[in-house]
Amino acid sequence: MATSPLPRAPGLQIFCMYGVGKPTERAYHYVRRAGPAGADRPYALDARVTKRSDDLYGGVALTDGDGSIPLVSLGYVCADAWRRNADDGGGSVPDDGDKGVPGRNRTSSSKRIASFVTELNPGGSVVKIREYPHRALGVWNGGLQEGPGSGDHVNIMGNHEMIRDVVEAVTGHGGEIEERVHSGVFELAANVERLREAREKKKPDPARAGG
């Protein structure tokens, strides 16, 4: 799969704004249908599969997200591909004030640019994640659209805090917006990287195969 890098624009700021904290479908368990029913539709959702400890209900696996898009799709590129330190062979640079949390280097402009230079972010454009935890109002409390604190995929357009942040960014005050992460997106990014490395190790060596 081909990927296109960001423009080489060191002055560019990217704000990844999305909702979190709402159960979101991420995978499905299917069962093969037998008999005449399987002729046109050979597979059906296996509603018998349920594990509450794993957020698996009626054949549907749930994860963190905004109700429509899972966290890995919302924040992975912002947390890893656009900010992983490419010079040290992988991994992000921790912030001096938040030890152990990858990708939050805001200690100085020089370190900030260095920490964001990656293959897909060649200009070191600063990337900030701004997550909005889902806090919906009930219908009887005026929450027909879930209210001004919704983190839902669609209803977040009415989230007062996000609207304020967007206005700050487009009016030239993006530097005042601080990164805020409520989810485990950095841990998720680290897991994806480990799985990718493990997959690469399992690939056959072309040199050995040819010998």
Side-chain angles (χ1 to χ4, degrees):
M1 181 179 67
T3 55
S4 299
L6 293 171
R8 193 177 293 273
L12 176 66
Q13 293 186 76
I14 299 175
F15 300 92
C16 303
M17 301 178 176
Y18 53 86
V20 293
K22 189 171 185 179
T24 306
E25 297 180 6
R26 69 173 181 85
Y28 307 91
H29 288 258
Y30 291 94
V31 62
R32 190 174 184 88
R33 303 178 65 175
D40 296 326
R41 292 187 300 150
Y43 295 96
L45 189 67
D46 190 354
R48 300 169 299 177
V49 180
T50 297
K51 292 182 180 179
R52 294 189 177 275
S53 60
D54 296 331
D55 290 328
L56 178 60
Y57 303 97
V60 179
L62 302 174
T63 188
D64 192 5
D66 66 3
S68 294
I69 310 299
L71 181 61
V72 66
S73 297
L74 290 168
Y76 168 69
V77 174
C78 307
D80 186 87
W82 285 345
R83 67 194 299 165
R84 187 189 326 121
N85 192 323
D87 296 331
D88 65 0
S92 302
V93 179
D95 186 286
D96 288 348
D98 198 353
K99 298 295 184 182
V101 181
R104 297 188 185 181
N105 190 327
R106 294 191 296 273
T107 56
S108 70
S109 58
S110 60
K111 289 184 179 179
R112 178 187 304 174
I113 292 175
S115 69
F116 288 115
V117 174
T118 72
E119 183 179 353
L120 294 181
N121 186 5
S125 301
V126 174
V127 180
K128 292 182 181 180
I129 297 175
R130 187 76 173 169
E131 294 184 343
Y132 303 89
H134 182 61
R135 299 190 181 101
L137 292 176
V139 174
W140 302 113
N141 292 323
L144 193 59
Q145 293 286 313
E146 295 188 321
S150 174
D152 176 79
H153 182 70
V154 174
N155 293 332
I156 197 172
M157 297 304 295
N159 186 302
H160 291 185
E161 189 178 15
M162 191 189 78
I163 293 173
R164 183 173 62 249
D165 290 341
V166 170
V167 171
E168 289 288 316
V170 301
T171 55
H173 300 283
E176 300 174 12
I177 299 176
E178 295 185 358
E179 180 163 272
R180 184 182 67 187
V181 177
H182 291 275
S183 73
V185 67
F186 290 112
E187 291 81 358
L188 185 151
N191 287 336
V192 170
E193 188 62 22
R194 282 194 291 269
L195 289 172
R196 181 185 291 114
E197 291 174 355
R199 189 179 298 115
E200 288 297 323
K201 290 179 180 179
K202 288 183 178 181
K203 287 184 178 180
D205 188 341
R208 292 183 178 180

